[in-house]
Amino acid sequence: MSLSSILELRHLRTLMALQETGSVSRAAKRVHLTQSALSHQIKSLQEHYGLSIVQRRGQSVELTDAGKHLVTLAEKVLEEIQATERGLAKLSQQTSGSLRIVLECHTCFDWLMPLMDAFRQHWPDVELDLVSGFHSDPVKLLEEGGADVVIGSEYKPRRGIVHHPLFRFEILAVLAPEHPLRAKRILHATDFADVTLITYPVPEDRIDLILHVLKPAGIHPLRRTAELTVAILQLVASRRGVAALPSWGIKNYVDHDYVIARRIGTQGLWSDLYVSTLKETASRPYLRDFLTTARNTCFATLDGIIPLG
Amino acid sequence: MSLSSILELRHLRTLMALQETGSVSRAAKRVHLTQSALSHQIKSLQEHYGLSIVQRRGQSVELTDAGKHLVTLAEKVLEEIQATERGLAKLSQQTSGSLRIVLECHTCFDWLMPLMDAFRQHWPDVELDLVSGFHSDPVKLLEEGGADVVIGSEYKPRRGIVHHPLFRFEILAVLAPEHPLRAKRILHATDFADVTLITYPVPEDRIDLILHVLKPAGIHPLRRTAELTVAILQLVASRRGVAALPSWGIKNYVDHDYVIARRIGTQGLWSDLYVSTLKETASRPYLRDFLTTARNTCFATLDGIIPLG
DNA sequence: AATATTAATGAATCTAATTCATATATATGT
DNA sequence: ACATATATATGAATTAGATTCATTAATATT
């Protein structure tokens, strides 16, 4: 236990990630460090305060009372810092501009709406909009000046474009509780041969299940579309077909036994989400704030998502 | 301007020191770093936010609006951290004990009283006391178990004792505004030959002016004592003699032209203040808290004091 | 003008945070 | 129960980046 405090913001960021992920390795990804680095950080904090901060609970790890105190501190402090940094952005006059968002992933409306509300409060002078309609090459819209931000899963390096990684998530098959396939723990391409696939109204090459699982296996199920996630789930529940949706998008419905979810393929079907912008847009303070807030709310709200390098 | 925040607590501590001292070099001493280190810190912050944080004002330096924002943040955040660390100390049960203070420096009552009030609030279970009376060897009291803390200016290394440096301050001669010596900018030993010296009621070897200036010059002025700083200043103002007191102890009276102050010797007469404890006491959380709070309040409240290595 | 004090800056150094490599502990599957 | 996979812990090696050193530039003092 040394005399002057060794605590730094890095520790607070780590502690928050630890609470959100419940695991040292996942937290490490979240803050872009190795598991070892976090273990060392935790150890040094524990030695400094003469208290244990985490408690091993079998496979994973849990915060002690002391750890919770520090997390409470972290939440307060990091929030205050963000607010101050917004204030600094105001001072540097880089406080206005436009943020027109193209959303490739329909389910993302779930978390984007509250985020946009919060953002509007913090940056009243930024023109915030959702660009509606379907776009075959949304990133092109950035170059053409038709949009400022694309939230999508395509990650092609392009000159002048920056892809900010958001998170990785699993896409699960969604079935009615009484569906014949309920018996299987894991579904494979062949299981989809005789079902109707319920999707958002987008082309086939935008649907990961079709693109990466069914098409390679030569399987082409019937398709039926719906605009909203709830609508899709209603169709699934009333046995009109099966769907493939992000695990976090269906969690509530699964928890209430409205539908059931199954893994697709032994490894599962995963998808990555990026926020793409023009290089010049990336340096604007409000874009930086949008990104960190997006990451924070996603990791705090959505279950089962994984940080992305 | 990089994407993720580089801000760390070290920057906030620096910014606070900068505001309190109004100079990079003094702030550097305050946080135990070099002037160069702080210059680099400031530079990197400025580059990160694309804003200037300090503004050179001739010899010294002044915070910009942006800097003030960050200082406001710093005050809040560092206070919250201290509070959390007190909470952690509670958890580790190291929250009770005794803190009996021996005060070698009479003027220190000025800042010690409010400090003790604050401390009592934070550590209700610590028995807080002032050990009264004169003690020829106060540090011995620590070893004998008669006290826990000595606030004094003696710095003899002793086995089992830790001297925590507090600050360095200047001792000024205090005169009535009409005193004949007012004409001199700087007073020397000989100037004290024909005056009455007004001091606290302590032995000669506890009075820096006598010990380091007058005695070596073979000058032994008349002496008259008073218990309280105000009483001494009253005697000085009513021309019963001159006194030698810490610059911060007389600031208010000088500012209101109640008395005038003069430097003693070309270099000035300086004294160092230490908080001495037993080694084992030093590791107690409440002692650490007492120390940092003492430093903070002193540097925030008292003018003209200098950090000590 | 000369001297002293303070801040800024590039290069060198050095501290300490991170990674690497590995061991240990816990869980999962057959 | 044993092998396998997954997590965390830890000592040593590495590395990033913070600090110092040495110097220059700027401002103030005599």
Side-chain angles (χ1 to χ4, degrees):
Chain A
M1 188 147 57
S2 86
L3 205 77
S4 68
S5 186
I6 58 153
L7 192 71
E8 281 292 345
L9 292 181
R10 129 178 60 94
H11 297 116
L12 297 184
R13 298 196 181 100
T14 295
L15 267 300
M16 278 204 72
L18 255 179
Q19 171 163 77
E20 279 166 12
T21 61
S23 128
V24 180
S25 355
R26 278 195 297 267
K29 281 204 180 140
R30 179 103 171 67
V31 295
H32 306 292
L33 290 172
T34 60
Q35 169 267 319
S36 178
L38 292 222
S39 273
H40 283 294
Q41 278 192 11
I42 295 164
K43 195 184 179 203
S44 86
L45 279 185
Q46 295 187 147
E47 281 168 2
H48 177 71
Y49 291 116
L51 281 165
S52 60
I53 286 169
V54 296
Q55 184 80 40
R56 286 209 57 165
R57 281 254 170 268
Q59 191 89 272
S60 66
V61 105
E62 192 173 72
L63 289 166
T64 63
D65 277 4
K68 283 174 194 151
H69 277 233
L70 285 170
V71 167
T72 309
L73 174 72
E75 285 165 350
K76 224 187 308 174
V77 164
L78 297 177
E79 172 58 38
E80 285 165 354
I81 288 175
Q82 247 205 325
T84 301
E85 290 184 334
R86 277 194 292 268
L88 292 184
K90 289 222 173 71
L91 280 180
S92 66
Q93 320 246 255
Q94 307 182 282
T95 175
S96 67
S98 69
L99 199 75
R100 291 156 302 165
I101 305 173
V102 180
L103 205 54
E104 248 189 51
C105 154
H106 275 62
T107 322
C108 293
F109 275 111
D110 288 3
W111 54 262
L112 187 61
M113 282 306 170
L115 175 62
M116 284 174 72
D117 291 342
F119 184 87
R120 235 185 291 266
Q121 304 235 311
H122 291 146
W123 305 89
D125 297 332
V126 173
E127 204 187 304
L128 185 64
D129 261 315
L130 263 174
V131 179
S132 57
F134 172 76
H135 305 277
S136 57
D137 185 359
V139 173
K140 206 171 177 185
L141 273 179
L142 297 177
E143 288 156 349
E144 291 164 349
D148 304 292
V149 164
V150 173
I151 300 178
S153 51
E154 282 174 49
Y155 174 67
K156 309 172 197 150
R158 285 206 215 183
R159 137 177 195 77
I161 301 284
V162 189
H163 302 285
H164 312 276
L166 215 46
F167 57 81
R168 168 166 295 175
F169 61 95
E170 184 169 8
I171 298 169
L172 298 174
V174 195
L175 317 169
E178 324 81 13
H179 195 283
L181 285 170
R182 72 176 177 283
K184 310 194 70 172
R185 296 262 321 278
I186 293 173
L187 303 190
H188 295 277
T190 46
D191 295 319
F192 291 88
D194 302 321
V195 303
T196 301
L197 196 60
I198 302 169
T199 68
Y200 298 108
V202 295
E204 295 212 334
D205 61 356
R206 280 292 173 77
I207 297 167
D208 291 280
L209 175 63
I210 296 179
L211 194 62
H212 298 120
V213 179
L214 304 186
K215 211 167 183 180
I219 290 169
H220 301 277
L222 292 174
R223 200 144 79 85
R224 175 167 179 178
T225 64
E227 276 278 356
L228 300 169
T229 312
V230 266
I232 294 180
L233 286 163
Q234 254 160 23
L235 290 170
V236 167
S238 55
R239 288 188 264 177
R240 312 294 175 81
V242 307
L245 292 168
S247 61
W248 42 267
I250 54 173
K251 182 164 192 302
N252 274 331
Y253 305 92
V254 172
D255 286 351
H256 292 85
D257 302 316
Y258 187 62
V259 292
I260 59 175
R262 291 289 179 264
R263 168 158 287 192
I264 300 165
T266 322
Q267 303 303 314
L269 176 60
W270 295 82
S271 180
D272 296 344
L273 215 53
Y274 294 87
V275 175
S276 308
T277 64
L278 289 181
K279 214 171 181 179
E280 53 166 299
T281 316
S283 62
R284 304 248 175 96
Y286 63 80
L287 192 275
R288 292 169 49 189
D289 190 58
F290 178 80
L291 265 178
T292 54
T293 316
R295 289 208 184 95
N296 286 342
T297 57
C298 286
F299 283 109
T301 320
L302 310 179
D303 275 309
I305 67 176
I306 292 176
L308 215 51
Chain B
M1 188 146 56
S2 87
L3 206 78
S4 68
S5 186
I6 59 152
L7 192 70
E8 282 291 348
L9 293 181
R10 132 177 56 93
H11 297 117
L12 297 185
R13 298 197 181 100
T14 295
L15 266 300
M16 279 204 70
L18 255 179
Q19 171 163 77
E20 279 167 13
T21 61
S23 128
V24 180
S25 354
R26 278 194 297 268
K29 282 204 179 141
R30 178 104 172 64
V31 296
H32 306 292
L33 290 173
T34 59
Q35 169 267 318
S36 176
L38 292 222
S39 272
H40 283 296
Q41 278 192 11
I42 296 165
K43 195 184 179 202
S44 86
L45 279 184
Q46 295 187 148
E47 281 168 1
H48 177 71
Y49 291 116
L51 280 167
S52 60
I53 286 169
V54 295
Q55 183 80 41
R56 285 210 58 168
R57 281 255 168 268
Q59 191 89 272
S60 66
V61 107
E62 192 174 71
L63 288 165
T64 63
D65 276 3
K68 283 174 194 151
H69 277 232
L70 285 170
V71 167
T72 310
L73 174 73
E75 286 165 350
K76 226 187 307 174
V77 163
L78 296 177
E79 172 58 39
E80 284 165 354
I81 287 175
Q82 248 205 323
T84 301
E85 290 184 333
R86 277 194 291 268
L88 292 184
K90 289 223 172 68
L91 280 180
S92 66
Q93 320 245 257
Q94 308 181 281
T95 174
S96 67
S98 69
L99 199 74
R100 292 157 300 165
I101 305 173
V102 180
L103 206 54
E104 248 188 52
C105 153
H106 275 63
T107 322
C108 293
F109 276 110
D110 288 4
W111 53 263
L112 187 60
M113 283 306 168
L115 175 62
M116 284 175 72
D117 290 342
F119 184 87
R120 233 186 292 267
Q121 304 234 312
H122 291 146
W123 304 89
D125 297 333
V126 172
E127 204 186 304
L128 185 63
D129 259 314
L130 263 175
V131 180
S132 57
F134 172 77
H135 306 278
S136 57
D137 185 359
V139 174
K140 206 171 177 185
L141 274 179
L142 298 177
E143 288 157 349
E144 290 165 348
D148 304 292
V149 164
V150 173
I151 300 179
S153 52
E154 283 175 47
Y155 174 67
K156 308 172 198 151
R158 285 205 214 182
R159 136 176 196 76
I161 302 285
V162 189
H163 301 287
H164 312 275
L166 215 46
F167 57 81
R168 169 167 293 176
F169 61 94
E170 184 169 7
I171 298 170
L172 297 175
V174 194
L175 316 171
E178 324 80 14
H179 195 284
L181 286 170
R182 72 176 177 282
K184 310 193 71 172
R185 297 264 321 279
I186 293 174
L187 303 189
H188 295 278
T190 47
D191 295 319
F192 291 88
D194 303 319
V195 302
T196 301
L197 196 60
I198 302 169
T199 68
Y200 298 108
V202 295
E204 294 211 336
D205 61 356
R206 280 294 173 74
I207 297 168
D208 291 278
L209 176 62
I210 296 178
L211 194 63
H212 297 119
V213 179
L214 304 185
K215 212 169 182 179
I219 290 170
H220 301 276
L222 291 174
R223 201 144 78 85
R224 177 167 177 176
T225 64
E227 276 278 354
L228 300 170
T229 312
V230 266
I232 293 180
L233 286 164
Q234 255 158 24
L235 290 170
V236 167
S238 55
R239 289 187 264 176
R240 311 297 175 80
V242 306
L245 293 168
S247 62
W248 42 268
I250 55 172
K251 180 162 192 306
N252 274 332
Y253 304 92
V254 172
D255 286 351
H256 292 86
D257 302 315
Y258 187 62
V259 293
I260 59 175
R262 291 289 178 266
R263 166 158 289 192
I264 299 166
T266 323
Q267 303 302 314
L269 176 61
W270 295 83
S271 180
D272 295 345
L273 215 52
Y274 293 88
V275 175
S276 308
T277 63
L278 289 180
K279 214 169 180 177
E280 56 165 299
T281 315
S283 63
R284 304 248 175 96
Y286 63 80
L287 192 276
R288 291 169 48 189
D289 190 57
F290 178 79
L291 265 178
T292 53
T293 316
R295 288 208 185 94
N296 286 343
T297 59
C298 286
F299 283 109
T301 319
L302 310 179
D303 273 310
I305 66 176
I306 293 176
L308 215 50

